[in-house]
Amino acid sequence: MGLAYSYRILGDKAENIENAIASYQAALTVRTREAFPQDNAETLFKLGLIYQNAQRFNEAYTTFKQTIETVESLRSEIISGDETKRKQAEEWNKVYSCMVKVCLELQEYTQALEYIERSKTRNLVELILERDMQSMMLSAYRKTIFSSDVVAQLEKLQDEITTGQYKIQNGTAENPQVLAQHLQQLRQQYNELQNQYLPIGSGFKFESFQAILDKRTVIIEWYILDDRILAFVIKSTEEITVWQSQPEDLEAFINWKNQYLADYHNQKEQWRNQLEEHFQELAQILHIEEILAQIPKNFNRLILIPHRFLHLFPLHALLIGESYLIDLFPNGVSYTPSCQLLQLVQTRQRPKFSSFFAIQNPTNDLAYTKLEVDSILNLFSSYQVLSDQQASKDALLQEMPKLKEANCIHFSGHSYFNLNSPLESALILADANISQNIDLSKCLTLGEIFNLNLSECRLVTLSATETALTDFTSISDEYISFPSAFIVAGATSVVGSFWSPSDLSTALLMIKFYQNLYIGNTVAVALNQAQIWLREVTKLQLQKWILTIEMNPTLKISLRRGFHRLPDDAKPFREPFYWGAFSVIGA
């Protein structure tokens, strides 16, 4: 009846709305959360839509809040794996989007951001938290957000919850109703205990997150609705401000995205030649200057949180007037999938940065990777390198103990991101038949990376193709990517690429990046400064710099000759294609 009245054409519209509301409310006396939770959520959602469409926003807020509480209660009962949770998140992402719209109408911007955070990267955050707690139990000396006693309590509660859930689902519980109530109490105890140290999901509160932000750091978090683009500007001491696009901006962005990706996949030369023009147009579509106007000049660090398709593009290379975005923030521009993930990763203690593990040119077809890796080795007190044909899957498995102990992991070779099946994306190792069909069994796949133990790792650098891309098809924005896999495995920061620059420019950028790290810069500052250096360096400056790098004399002469036809003041790597591909994801 509620549905019928909602769509009824005949009769008075206001009366039909009231009848629809009454019908849904009557249905909810039977479709209770306790008896029929899935039906309860569906009915509440439809009732919330009625209120929202009638612009009764306070009632819509209350109803959507109840819907989300039921949905998250259902989620807590899932024990069949991350894939089921991901599908559930995608199914119910619609209610979070509606809630965000209602919060905007009520000018409750903090609430809007909290519900956005509850709707995205939830599985990823929980997976990272679980892995970090396991590391804590295995390494009692390690300082983490949880004491060993708290970890033990959390594990005990989780084991009891899991056992009870299995009994209910397998029909072996003596009194399922009583057990279900007991499990709800246990989940509440678990969440309350965890939230004392690190609130996530429904426990995430903006105020506690805001308190950990550096006073000169600003965050821009985007969120794409079905009718507009939102950008939340987050600072440590002020209220959130929100920029909202017009519907035509979203349409322009979708058209821009389609053209960019079509050129990237089908007309590489045209795509490369128009990169600067592309980024200038994207900056206009996103009204980036209007958003930046909300940020005082004394803020010197920027953290970007993209959403869906925005994960595919190097936003740090957006052209603003005569400058690029990275020029405006001297303390670095970096990326993170969500506020919750940033909060979690920042708790990792990784003070050591002395051991280096490199996988170099497994396919033996890149001319400058040896120069790249050899130049970086000298900056570390200990290192291990698998190069050329030695960089096979079998060899990597044998060296897992050293990989586990590494503070910095560097991959310089080929890779690819599989948009149709992201977990089958891979770092290509020796003997993987790159010229024909790639043998995934001889590669390190994204799915396998999730299961690595890199609890000593501060930095993973992926000097390869498309290693910063993510699965943009996920409505829930679960951020399935190489960076997320390495962060789950234990890394604090990951450097990845949006495309494949030239072998030479990548080698020069990476050498400069590690030199900047060596003198004490943060990962973001080290990379941004290296990018600006590569962009602005002249032929004459580059030739002098090459003389300071230890390398094969023949290669050094070849490099210098490669630039000899250019004028002394020419900037050979000025185009964004050379310097814009790489970004920092994580802490």
Side-chain angles (χ1 to χ4, degrees):
M1 289 299 293
L3 283 170
Y5 278 121
S6 297
Y7 294 105
R8 190 182 187 207
I9 299 174
L10 298 177
D12 181 71
K13 182 178 180 180
E15 185 177 348
N16 286 335
I17 288 174
E18 291 303 324
N19 286 330
I21 291 171
S23 298
Y24 283 130
Q25 289 174 338
L28 287 168
T29 64
V30 177
R31 291 181 150 196
T32 63
R33 184 185 303 176
E34 293 74 23
F36 305 103
Q38 183 76 22
D39 295 328
N40 176 261
E42 290 172 358
T43 305
L44 281 168
F45 178 59
K46 291 180 174 67
L47 177 58
L49 287 176
I50 291 284
Y51 285 133
Q52 184 181 17
N53 293 335
Q55 297 189 344
R56 293 162 62 171
F57 297 116
N58 285 309
E59 290 160 298
Y61 176 90
T62 301
T63 307
F64 285 141
K65 181 181 179 183
Q66 292 172 342
T67 312
I68 290 170
E69 287 171 354
T70 301
V71 168
E72 294 187 347
S73 175
L74 283 166
R75 185 183 188 281
S76 69
E77 297 176 4
I78 295 174
I79 59 175
S80 54
D82 295 329
E83 181 65 18
T84 305
K85 288 184 177 180
R86 184 183 68 80
K87 288 180 179 178
Q88 195 245 19
E90 292 193 352
E91 177 187 357
W92 288 105
N93 187 69
K94 57 192 177 184
V95 68
Y96 290 94
S97 295
C98 289
M99 181 58 124
V100 170
K101 289 182 180 180
V102 168
C103 289
L104 293 177
E105 293 289 347
L106 296 172
Q107 297 187 343
E108 294 287 351
Y109 300 138
T110 297
Q111 292 282 324
L113 181 67
E114 289 178 351
Y115 279 106
I116 286 172
E117 283 289 319
R118 287 167 70 168
S119 72
K120 63 193 296 192
T121 68
R122 181 74 174 272
N123 292 348
L124 180 60
V125 170
E126 290 180 354
L127 193 57
I128 292 170
L129 187 59
E130 181 182 341
R131 288 290 297 269
D132 279 6
M133 285 197 293
Q134 290 174 353
S135 295
M136 171 62 191
M137 293 301 290
L138 293 172
S139 305
Y141 64 87
R142 193 187 313 284
K143 180 182 177 183
T144 69
I145 51 175
F146 299 108
S147 68
S148 57
D149 289 342
V150 171
V151 173
Q153 291 178 58
L154 290 170
E155 285 197 331
K156 181 180 178 181
L157 287 167
Q158 186 59 59
D159 288 343
E160 192 173 349
I161 291 168
T162 301
T163 301
Q165 286 175 332
Y166 274 116
K167 286 182 179 180
I168 290 175
Q169 293 190 6
N170 295 334
T172 59
E174 293 182 6
N175 192 327
Q177 189 172 1
V178 172
L179 180 56
Q181 292 175 350
H182 179 59
L183 291 180
Q184 282 298 104
Q185 293 172 353
L186 292 179
R187 291 188 192 100
Q188 185 175 349
Q189 291 177 36
Y190 184 96
N191 291 335
E192 288 175 354
L193 180 59
Q194 177 186 280
N195 289 344
Q196 291 177 26
Y197 299 89
L198 186 70
I200 65 169
S202 59
F204 175 79
K205 293 291 179 267
F206 173 70
E207 288 183 2
S208 62
F209 171 77
Q210 191 179 32
I212 70 168
L213 270 183
D214 178 81
K215 294 192 185 315
R216 298 180 69 186
T217 296
V218 63
I219 296 174
I220 300 176
E221 178 164 3
W222 278 276
Y223 191 68
I224 300 176
L225 293 166
D226 59 357
D227 61 348
R228 73 197 104 150
I229 303 170
L230 308 177
F232 291 77
V233 179
I234 304 166
K235 301 184 282 288
S236 65
T237 56
E238 300 176 27
E239 292 184 357
I240 294 171
T241 57
V242 184
W243 171 84
Q244 302 185 50
S245 79
Q246 297 300 315
E248 53 266 29
D249 294 316
L250 177 57
E251 182 180 355
F253 171 63
I254 292 172
N255 293 335
W256 179 93
K257 177 262 298 181
N258 291 339
Q259 185 62 55
Y260 176 95
L261 293 178
D263 289 347
Y264 177 73
H265 291 294
N266 303 317
Q267 301 185 62
K268 273 289 196 289
E269 192 66 27
Q270 178 175 318
W271 165 82
R272 174 178 166 176
N273 292 336
Q274 294 182 346
L275 266 181
E276 190 161 87
E277 181 182 329
H278 275 310
F279 296 150
Q280 187 173 24
E281 187 178 356
L282 180 58
Q284 293 170 353
I285 291 171
L286 295 178
H287 295 257
I288 194 69
E289 289 191 55
E290 189 178 330
I291 296 170
L292 292 175
Q294 302 178 35
I295 303 172
K297 298 295 184 184
N298 63 321
F299 281 78
N300 56 21
R301 184 188 177 200
L302 175 63
I303 300 173
L304 302 173
I305 305 180
H307 186 228
R308 299 203 64 196
F309 299 110
L310 285 172
H311 285 299
L312 298 177
F313 313 117
L315 302 176
H316 60 276
L318 292 179
L319 191 60
I320 300 140
E322 299 297 318
S323 303
Y324 294 90
L325 191 57
I326 58 171
D327 299 325
L328 306 181
F329 295 89
N331 272 21
V333 177
S334 60
Y335 297 74
T336 189
S338 67
C339 291
Q340 293 178 87
L341 189 136
L342 177 65
Q343 185 177 8
L344 176 55
V345 173
Q346 284 183 340
T347 65
R348 288 177 169 171
Q349 302 296 315
R350 300 287 190 271
K352 296 180 182 178
F353 200 59
S354 58
S355 59
F356 180 77
F357 190 105
I359 299 172
Q360 171 194 307
N361 197 17
T363 52
N364 201 24
D365 61 349
L366 296 171
Y368 294 100
T369 54
K370 180 172 174 54
L371 167 64
E372 176 183 322
V373 174
D374 286 353
S375 300
I376 295 168
L377 292 180
N378 299 324
L379 304 176
F380 292 85
S381 59
S382 65
Y383 55 82
Q384 173 75 20
V385 179
L386 295 178
S387 62
D388 304 326
Q389 290 302 308
Q390 296 177 343
S392 66
K393 182 76 167 284
D394 289 340
L396 180 61
L397 292 174
Q398 291 177 3
E399 297 295 341
M400 276 297 167
K402 291 185 179 178
L403 184 73
K404 180 181 176 181
E405 296 173 356
N407 308 136
C408 179
I409 297 170
H410 186 98
F411 178 85
S412 183
H414 291 290
S415 62
Y416 75 98
F417 189 78
N418 188 334
L419 286 173
N420 296 319
S421 182
L423 292 177
E424 293 184 355
S425 305
L427 303 180
I428 299 172
L429 302 175
D431 303 323
N433 299 324
I434 188 172
S435 61
Q436 303 169 12
N437 292 326
I438 296 171
D439 185 352
L440 284 179
S441 68
K442 296 182 179 180
C443 300
L444 184 62
T445 67
L446 196 155
E448 291 172 323
I449 294 168
F450 272 107
N451 294 316
L452 295 176
N453 183 351
L454 306 177
S455 55
E456 299 292 336
C457 186
R458 180 174 152 193
L459 171 66
V460 173
T461 302
L462 302 173
S463 180
T465 305
E466 298 182 347
T467 49
L469 295 186
T470 185
D471 177 17
F472 63 86
T473 63
S474 171
I475 298 174
S476 62
D477 206 43
E478 270 304 324
Y479 198 76
I480 301 174
S481 64
F482 283 111
S484 67
F486 277 106
I487 289 171
V488 168
T492 302
S493 298
V494 180
V495 171
S497 67
F498 293 95
W499 61 79
S500 176
S502 76
D503 185 19
L504 173 58
S505 65
T506 299
L508 298 177
L509 177 69
M510 288 299 159
I511 294 169
K512 190 67 174 178
F513 165 54
Y514 278 91
Q515 288 177 340
N516 292 342
L517 275 178
Y518 183 73
I519 60 176
N521 287 306
T522 65
V523 176
V525 170
L527 180 63
N528 290 171
Q529 288 184 353
Q531 289 171 309
I532 293 170
W533 169 82
L534 185 66
R535 187 186 77 206
E536 299 298 331
V537 69
T538 64
K539 166 202 166 179
L540 191 60
Q541 292 170 333
L542 191 58
Q543 287 180 326
K544 291 179 179 179
W545 181 78
I546 288 171
L547 293 174
T548 68
I549 305 298
E550 291 186 18
M551 68 178 80
N552 180 291
T554 303
L555 180 60
K556 186 173 291 190
I557 293 171
S558 175
L559 274 176
R560 288 175 58 82
R561 285 178 176 173
F563 302 113
H564 80 280
R565 292 185 179 179
L566 297 175
D568 286 349
D569 61 351
K571 297 177 180 179
F573 302 109
R574 183 76 176 80
E575 296 176 17
F577 169 76
Y578 295 110
W579 59 267
F582 289 94
S583 64
V584 178
I585 301 98

